[in-house]
Amino acid sequence: MTMASYSMSFTTGGLFLNESIQMAFSYRSLRNWQAAIVDLGQTSTLSAPKQKSMQRIGREIANRLATLSDPEMDFLAETSSRTDQAALLWLAVCRTYRLIREFAVEVIVERYEARQRHLPKERYDSFVHDKGEWDEWLAARSASTIQRSRQVLFKMMREAGLVNEGQEIQRLAISPALRRLLEEVPQDHGVFPGGVRT
């Protein structure tokens, strides 16, 4: 499988939990991503000052949600568990962004398994630097871009429940129903500290 190129367009914002759930409902009804983006722009409570900002956020959310299967999308829209919803959105982010997926697998999960639960923010910087040794695009990112991407990624991880305010890595307390759903895609288990099995 060919890996997608690196990208940092996730710096548009965080996990967008409420907006993602709203778009999931819209897409299930409309079956059209562009229409779902327009619907989000018309009904969202986001404080985006300009329509272009709202469209950019909508496209970002749509790109993430498009990686979910129909059963995963249905689960996202139908469950009342915020933990499960956040876990599915973390999965969507990891499927969308190679950099985040690799950080999850190679740093977050490895540290969790080694019982090194504290996740220093500097570990992200060194991770990007190491990847940049083999990738010209990453190597060309400015220090301010890396700092911004780190800030947004750690915000996402807190919103998803992967790290707490003290930057301690946590296993997600997802429901048995979501565990059963995720067990069908074993290639994605590695993005969750502690995996998805009970």
Side-chain angles (χ1 to χ4, degrees):
M1 182 174 111
T2 303
M3 290 297 293
S5 299
Y6 287 113
S7 168
M8 289 184 176
S9 63
F10 58 87
T11 54
T12 299
L15 206 60
F16 294 123
L17 196 150
N18 292 330
E19 295 77 20
S20 295
I21 295 165
Q22 181 180 338
M23 186 174 286
F25 274 108
S26 294
Y27 179 75
R28 289 172 79 213
S29 171
L30 302 167
R31 307 307 295 181
N32 180 287
W33 286 115
Q34 188 55 44
I37 291 169
V38 171
D39 187 59
L40 178 68
Q42 292 174 342
T43 59
S44 177
T45 58
L46 274 177
S47 58
K50 298 178 181 177
Q51 189 62 29
K52 282 188 177 180
S53 297
M54 179 59 69
Q55 290 174 351
R56 186 170 64 251
I57 290 168
R59 284 194 302 271
E60 172 65 21
I61 294 170
N63 286 340
R64 298 175 188 181
L65 293 183
T67 68
L68 298 179
S69 66
D70 287 344
E72 290 166 346
M73 184 78 83
D74 290 342
F75 192 96
L76 176 67
E78 293 169 7
T79 185
S80 60
S81 168
R82 302 292 274 185
T83 300
D84 285 356
Q85 290 168 334
L88 273 172
L89 293 180
W90 172 251
L91 176 60
V93 165
C94 288
R95 287 175 177 172
T96 305
Y97 292 103
R98 176 183 173 186
L99 187 68
I100 295 178
R101 184 184 189 91
E102 291 179 359
F103 185 73
V105 173
E106 298 172 23
V107 178
I108 300 172
V109 172
E110 283 190 9
R111 289 183 73 87
Y112 182 87
E113 290 176 351
R115 300 186 184 279
Q116 297 175 340
R117 301 297 166 81
H118 182 66
L119 183 60
K121 291 185 177 179
E122 297 75 22
R123 186 63 189 86
Y124 174 78
D125 296 36
S126 61
F127 169 80
V128 174
H129 178 268
D130 291 346
K131 292 289 181 181
E133 295 287 330
W134 304 96
D135 186 274
E136 291 182 5
W137 186 88
L138 275 180
R141 296 312 93 192
S142 67
S144 62
T145 297
I146 294 171
Q147 180 182 12
R148 170 65 178 157
S149 66
R150 181 188 69 216
Q151 182 181 36
V152 173
L153 176 56
F154 272 75
K155 177 183 178 185
M156 281 186 194
M157 292 189 297
R158 287 192 302 273
E159 291 172 341
L162 269 76
V163 297
N164 59 23
E165 292 297 331
Q167 292 169 218
E168 299 291 322
I169 302 168
Q170 306 177 119
R171 187 179 187 194
L172 298 181
I174 60 177
S175 70
L178 180 56
R179 289 190 187 281
R180 286 192 296 272
L181 181 62
L182 295 181
E183 282 176 359
E184 297 177 14
V185 281
Q187 66 270 25
D188 289 323
H189 295 182
V191 304
F192 296 102
V196 300
R197 297 184 184 278
T198 53

